[in-house]
Amino acid sequence: VIDGIKRSGRYSEMVKYLFEDIFEVKDINTEHFDKVSRIQCLSENYEMELTLDLNTDIYPIDIATKFTLNLASGIYGDDNEYYDPTKKTSSILDEFEYVMNGKVFRWIEDDAYRVSVYVSFGGLLMELKGDQRHLQDITLDSRVYLLMKKLG
């Protein structure tokens, strides 16, 4: 258990997470696209704010849904190794329901303690705001995996 998040699975112990927390969906905006919704969430452990574009056609989500959100730099236990669909090996991806790979394109200090991190996942965007202590492992121009799994 890490800050209230129970890690399970073979790969969870091998992969270094850059960030992990439990979030609750507070609002869903479905106005702009048919298959993509922008969700607004708050975290339970670190009081982070999350805005995330989500393909709700393949991963439906409702207001008040709780989920774990993990950001990782690698998926096989090796930070430098990216997903290879030709590999027949298992990875951390097997332990989550929704996964995206993206790049950090903006990292802004909002004030002395809070930062905003922006990641693009092939056009789907994420903004994660909160205490810089919890986001210090995420660096500008780095590649990250977003890993989600609903709770309950």
Side-chain angles (χ1 to χ4, degrees):
V1 177
I2 295 178
D3 297 315
I5 301 170
K6 183 180 180 201
R7 287 184 167 205
S8 62
R10 189 171 130 194
Y11 289 93
S12 286
E13 298 303 323
M14 294 174 20
V15 171
K16 178 185 181 270
Y17 291 119
L18 303 171
F19 174 82
E20 61 184 318
D21 204 345
I22 296 170
F23 285 85
E24 182 177 348
V25 178
K26 298 297 186 181
D27 188 42
I28 302 174
N29 182 338
T30 59
E31 295 177 13
H32 299 291
F33 301 102
D34 291 334
K35 299 179 181 194
V36 175
S37 297
R38 180 162 283 174
I39 62 173
Q40 302 281 334
C41 311
L42 292 176
S43 78
E44 289 187 356
N45 296 310
Y46 301 132
E47 299 178 359
M48 306 295 280
E49 298 172 32
L50 172 71
T51 303
L52 178 66
D53 293 344
L54 192 67
N55 184 333
T56 48
D57 188 47
I58 60 172
Y59 195 68
I61 201 160
D62 298 311
I63 290 179
T65 299
K66 289 188 178 186
F67 61 91
T68 60
L69 177 110
N70 298 52
L71 298 176
S73 57
I75 57 172
Y76 299 107
D78 176 359
D79 285 348
N80 298 321
E81 193 166 351
Y82 293 106
Y83 176 67
D84 180 354
T86 63
K87 276 191 171 187
K88 301 297 181 197
T89 242
S90 295
S91 72
I92 191 70
L93 303 181
D94 300 329
E95 298 174 20
F96 292 90
E97 300 167 337
Y98 186 81
V99 177
M100 295 190 289
N101 181 7
K103 185 174 183 179
V104 179
F105 69 92
R106 186 180 297 163
W107 200 98
I108 298 174
E109 291 184 22
D110 296 328
D111 59 38
Y113 302 103
R114 292 178 54 86
V115 297
S116 296
V117 174
Y118 298 85
V119 182
S120 176
F121 302 98
L124 298 179
L125 302 177
M126 178 189 81
E127 176 189 33
L128 185 57
K129 286 184 176 185
D131 191 316
Q132 66 181 348
R133 293 175 300 159
H134 306 302
L135 300 173
Q136 65 188 2
D137 291 334
I138 302 170
T139 57
L140 186 63
D141 293 326
S142 63
R143 308 278 311 164
V144 297
Y145 287 90
L146 176 139
L147 309 149
M148 287 177 63
K149 185 173 186 178
K150 294 176 189 169
L151 300 176

